[in-house]
Amino acid sequence: MFILIGISADFDPIHKGHEKLIREARKIADRENKKVVVYLNKGFSANHAPFFVNFDARREMALALGADEVKSFEGIHHRLVLSYSVPIRLKQMIDDGVTDYITSASISLDEIKSKSKKFIAQGNFVGMPKGYTNRNEIRWYAINQFLGAKLKFHVVKELNKEKYSGRLIRQSIIGNDMNITDDVKKLLPKATVEILQREIDAGRVPGDRNWDEIYKRMNTYSRGNLEKIAYLNGNTINEIIKRRVYRNPESIWAVFRRSEYGPVMTRLAVSALEMNVTKEEVMNLIRSYESQEVIPDNQKVQRVIDRAWYVANSTLDARKANDKFRSEMIEVDAPLTVDAGLNLTKFETKITKEGLKTDLYVDKNGRLSVQFKSEGKKIKTNLRLPANEVTYLRYIMDSHFIPVKGSITKAKKGFKVKVEIG
């Protein structure tokens, strides 16, 4: 049997706050004849950034401080937000035989339990308020309870977060020309300093993104191809097109700020661009875990689609309709196909053929449009739809992970597009 520690931290790098966590876990493990197993995120951090220190070095740091074993979480943090990745990680731990979870927080376990109640009752873990202290720990506790309280929780009083901060430690090292200052050394265990210095000397720190791939996609992809990338919505895609050409990271961060993306969502979108993650890939990943009963009902793909249809057809404003749908567990039967008219010229109608595949996108004027090729010609045209279906499709296309695709079909006069959702 195992005792799990440190899952809420990326350990990038391990500082004395993490060391305290491992020591407290060691005490429990020795008392109950269990093992201390640290789970580290690999590839991308929980906040969707590349790691400062690579997995192997962080693993070595954890083992040096008393962990019995280190396991990895891989392949999800450039694809999923925390409200989806946490249930998946919990499932992996439980399947591994983990019995206990230990984390650090500035609030007590009783406070965590209290703040978790409404999320457990709703079975929805999207949009946890930013103002919640230790909201990640609240999320972990709430999802564990929702999934059947499989892990016993232990909370260790965290050290001063403004001082023992991986982000500030990384900033200091970078700002001092990759030197670990004496002030930073005081925050790090001796083993961390030695391993970190070795990694710096070897040129393996800091890790970075593959900017060439990001520039290529942001500079060359059409609206239709960008629409297929996870976590990009119509407005953002138009900002990307309008602000080309991209040659440095700051120009990329700026376009997402203009699109009103927050820092976490920006990193996730850039990670999706870097790894060429499609909405279809994310949707299929979520559905694969739905089949294992890991994803809460209110977060399932079909519920996201149903909510879009309900809000699009409600007489309430969008926020109130969204809240009503979630709180009252409203059931609807959202259509998964929509037939849209086309505005084609006579020449375009003449060369258009049934069965052609189309890419949907939002044009620079905010109108739903399609593009397709026929007889070597690229055809772009707006869609003709009732207002509620336009709103419905915009919600779907802005959902970040639900794909839409279209195909040309015959109409009484000319052609139309059959739009398939999901």
Side-chain angles (χ1 to χ4, degrees):
M1 301 297 280
F2 299 137
I3 176 170
L4 168 70
I5 75 154
I7 188 60
S8 62
D10 285 315
F11 285 10
D12 191 29
I14 289 183
H15 55 60
K16 288 186 177 178
H18 302 137
E19 181 182 33
K20 178 184 178 184
L21 195 62
I22 293 174
R23 285 179 178 172
E24 292 300 318
R26 181 81 270 159
K27 291 177 186 176
I28 300 170
D30 291 345
R31 185 171 65 242
E32 300 183 8
N33 194 30
K34 296 181 179 180
K35 293 173 68 176
V36 176
V37 179
V38 173
Y39 282 75
L40 296 179
N41 299 321
K42 189 174 183 180
F44 288 80
S45 73
N47 283 322
H48 322 298
F51 281 106
F52 186 72
V53 183
N54 66 46
F55 174 81
D56 290 336
R58 289 181 290 123
R59 176 181 180 277
E60 190 177 348
M61 291 173 187
L63 292 173
L65 294 178
D68 294 306
E69 188 175 350
V70 174
K71 289 177 173 283
S72 65
F73 288 129
E74 301 183 41
I76 54 177
H77 290 114
H78 59 284
R79 294 186 178 97
L80 296 170
V81 294
L82 283 173
S83 53
Y84 285 91
S85 69
V86 172
I88 292 169
R89 288 184 283 172
L90 275 168
K91 171 74 161 50
Q92 181 178 328
M93 289 185 283
I94 292 164
D95 288 349
D96 285 347
V98 171
T99 58
D100 298 67
Y101 174 97
I102 184 166
T103 189
S104 59
S106 60
I107 60 177
S108 68
L109 181 56
D110 285 341
E111 290 176 278
I112 289 173
K113 289 178 180 179
S114 176
K115 289 183 180 293
S116 299
K117 284 181 180 177
K118 71 175 183 179
F119 301 104
I120 298 167
Q122 292 175 356
N124 184 65
F125 306 99
V126 177
M128 192 164 286
K130 292 182 179 179
Y132 270 26
T133 302
N134 296 124
R135 65 176 176 155
N136 197 41
E137 286 69 33
I138 294 167
R139 180 186 286 111
W140 275 87
Y141 179 83
I143 293 176
N144 180 58
Q145 296 303 109
F146 181 80
L147 295 178
K150 301 291 180 68
L151 303 180
K152 181 180 179 182
F153 263 62
H154 307 267
V155 176
V156 175
K157 185 72 173 177
E158 71 182 359
L159 300 180
N160 185 336
K161 217 168 188 177
E162 293 182 2
K163 183 178 179 182
Y164 293 91
S165 161
R167 178 178 58 83
L168 295 179
I169 289 168
R170 295 189 294 272
Q171 286 178 353
S172 174
I173 294 171
I174 292 171
N176 285 282
D177 296 323
M178 299 309 297
N179 289 309
I180 310 172
T181 64
D182 289 341
D183 285 343
V184 167
K185 286 179 180 177
K186 293 175 183 177
L187 306 177
L188 305 175
K190 182 180 178 182
T192 293
V193 174
E194 292 173 354
I195 296 167
L196 184 55
Q197 187 61 60
R198 182 197 70 203
E199 294 297 298
I200 291 172
D201 292 343
R204 290 188 287 267
V205 175
D208 203 359
R209 295 187 181 276
N210 186 340
W211 289 109
D212 287 342
E213 285 297 318
I214 298 167
Y215 298 146
K216 182 177 75 175
R217 293 183 179 114
M218 289 189 68
N219 284 326
T220 65
Y221 271 24
S222 67
R223 284 183 174 86
N225 283 331
L226 286 170
E227 177 60 44
K228 295 172 186 173
I229 300 292
Y231 304 103
L232 298 183
N233 62 31
N235 291 336
T236 303
I237 290 166
N238 280 320
E239 283 291 329
I240 289 171
I241 299 288
K242 183 168 70 174
R243 310 250 173 215
R244 285 172 171 168
V245 174
Y246 301 97
R247 296 188 180 93
N248 56 68
E250 179 50 40
S251 64
I252 290 174
W253 303 134
V255 82
F256 283 99
R257 285 197 298 271
R258 291 188 186 98
S259 303
E260 299 183 349
Y261 275 44
V264 173
M265 189 56 70
T266 295
R267 288 192 293 270
L268 181 52
V270 172
S271 297
L273 277 160
E274 178 181 359
M275 304 302 290
N276 205 23
V277 178
T278 66
K279 290 177 180 175
E280 184 170 16
E281 178 189 344
V282 174
M283 181 191 69
N284 289 339
L285 180 64
I286 293 171
R287 281 183 164 159
S288 72
Y289 282 101
E290 287 179 11
S291 66
Q292 299 176 50
E293 300 184 346
V294 174
I295 306 299
D297 286 346
N298 268 330
Q299 293 175 210
K300 289 181 177 179
V301 171
Q302 189 59 50
R303 284 297 284 174
V304 175
I305 294 171
D306 288 345
R307 185 171 71 246
W309 179 250
Y310 176 78
V311 175
N313 288 277
S314 176
T315 56
L316 301 172
D317 68 59
R319 184 182 295 274
K320 288 181 180 177
N322 184 55
D323 290 343
K324 182 179 175 69
F325 179 86
R326 284 178 167 167
S327 63
E328 298 182 16
M329 307 299 233
I330 291 171
E331 297 292 334
V332 299
D333 188 18
L336 297 181
T337 60
V338 172
D339 288 327
L342 297 171
N343 294 310
L344 299 175
T345 66
K346 287 184 178 180
F347 172 73
E348 289 170 342
T349 301
K350 186 176 179 180
I351 65 172
T352 296
K353 296 178 176 63
E354 190 168 27
L356 291 174
K357 302 302 180 186
T358 70
D359 289 334
L360 277 76
Y361 65 95
V362 179
D363 75 7
K364 64 182 180 180
N365 297 312
R367 294 175 297 193
L368 287 179
S369 306
V370 293
Q371 65 179 32
F372 58 95
K373 281 187 177 181
S374 183
E375 296 187 8
K377 302 290 185 181
K378 182 182 286 187
I379 298 173
K380 295 182 178 182
T381 181
N382 301 134
L383 298 181
R384 288 188 283 108
L385 286 162
N388 67 318
E389 292 184 0
V390 171
T391 304
Y392 173 48
L393 286 179
R394 277 303 303 265
Y395 284 146
I396 292 295
M397 293 170 73
D398 289 347
S399 69
H400 290 152
F401 62 80
I402 297 176
V404 293
K405 57 185 178 182
S407 58
I408 301 293
T409 60
K410 282 277 190 181
K412 287 183 179 179
K413 292 183 179 181
F415 296 92
K416 59 185 178 181
V417 172
K418 181 180 181 180
V419 179
E420 296 180 49
I421 297 161

